[in-house]
Amino acid sequence: KPHQPETRIRQIMRPVIITASTRFVTTMVAFALAAPIPEVLAAEDSAADGGVVEEIVVSGELTSRMGDVGSWSALDADEVDLIGATHPTEALMRVPGVWISRGSGQEHLTAIRSAVLTGAGACGEFLFLENGLPIRPAGFCNVNNLFELNTEQAGRIEVWRGPGSAVLGGNALYGAINVVNRLPDRNSISLEGGSYDSYRLSGEFNAETDNHRIAGTMFGSGTNGYRDSTGHDQQKVSLVHQTSVGGFEVENTLNFTNLEQQTGAFVNGFEAYKDDDLRKTNPAPDSYRDAWSVRIASRWAKDNWFFTPYLRASDMEFLQHFIPGEPRERNDQTSGGVVVGFEPVNTGDVLFTLGAQIEFMSGHLDEWQAEPLTDSSPFNNAVRPQGLHYDYDVDSFLAAGYY
């Protein structure tokens, strides 16, 4: 696209505006409140004189490096807001070649030009990224990775279909999903409420000085569920700090998520969905999933090269109601590393990129079964005893390059 002259950013203060809006989704009523907000405006309006508005590329967008390579689609912030998703599947169902099977609460299974995969294959075949960085270390993924991303307030959601380039990272065998943090230009807060004690609270803010910009989004939602013992609460926070240091353009990000969920199991019985009482029951009322994650990254870019150190941690505990014996699993990981990239050739028509990644990871997993298994096959009863099944630690080191 043609480039327009770089515009200067200025701030103005808007008078206090109080608005109330109503949304009906099965008796849902939403109220929104906007406080005094700083608004970022472009000093020059190229659209007024027939010019083309320059596309603004956030550093976390992989499309800025991938170009038109591969089959990909993207949802921008306006689409994300219009959808108002309460689960990642509601947004990603708009992307061709993608199917996210919705499970209980915030759980899901992913398909990108593939079957709906389960077990280890469900998380080892797809790559989930945040601002261009994988959200989990290689070999320690989560089949429900999307609930660790703030898709509800994303600035952009990018999806690659089919085997991914090494630029994306490892594990992009069937496809990849990249969520880019939003950079709001206002301060706002909104609250929605509905049936089954459901709520949705979201807010965003932006503050600027001469050489610093701090922006962020905050999200919380919950419900008691339409079935017995299937409620959940979740919170997500995303912060972005931008500045310039010694000729480097610096972008620091912090992302945190927390989920506390009562999980619903399958309701058995022929045409159970037709029974108004039976379909609202939960055969596994003690099932749960508690998980949190935090990720910190700092991207430094100057001229034709960049480097991004990062740290990650996550912890999850859940009852495996879907396998015989219903054991409890707990896993956690702490990881960190650095990604370095260099573009020795960038003429517009030709782009040549060199890069490397180094990463360390320390992880743990244990599995414990409370009661003996007696009502399954003789084989299952024998190999799934009461007590401790697994208890191990894993330390890993990764070094990779791409061009």
Side-chain angles (χ1 to χ4, degrees), residues 60-73 95-98 112-113 126-127 129 156-165 168 172 174-178:
E61 295 180 9
L62 290 174
T63 50
S64 63
R65 286 184 282 159
M66 293 283 289
D68 294 326
V69 175
S71 176
W72 62 272
S73 301
V95 178
V98 175
I112 303 177
R113 280 189 179 173
F126 307 105
L127 183 62
L129 308 105
R156 182 177 170 92
I157 302 176
E158 303 170 335
V159 180
W160 273 266
R161 296 177 289 272
S165 165
L168 303 179
Y174 282 97
I177 297 176
N178 180 43

Side-chain angles (χ1 to χ4, degrees), residues 237-249:
V237 177
S238 299
L239 300 176
V240 180
H241 168 240
Q242 295 179 327
T243 188
S244 297
V245 179
F248 285 90
E249 295 299 321

Side-chain angles (χ1 to χ4, degrees), residues 16 88 154 178 195 199 227 261 298 317 342 355 381 391:
V16 177
N178 180 43
S195 54
Y199 73 92
R227 297 169 57 195
Q261 171 181 300
S298 181
E317 181 177 317
F342 177 60
N381 292 342
D391 186 0

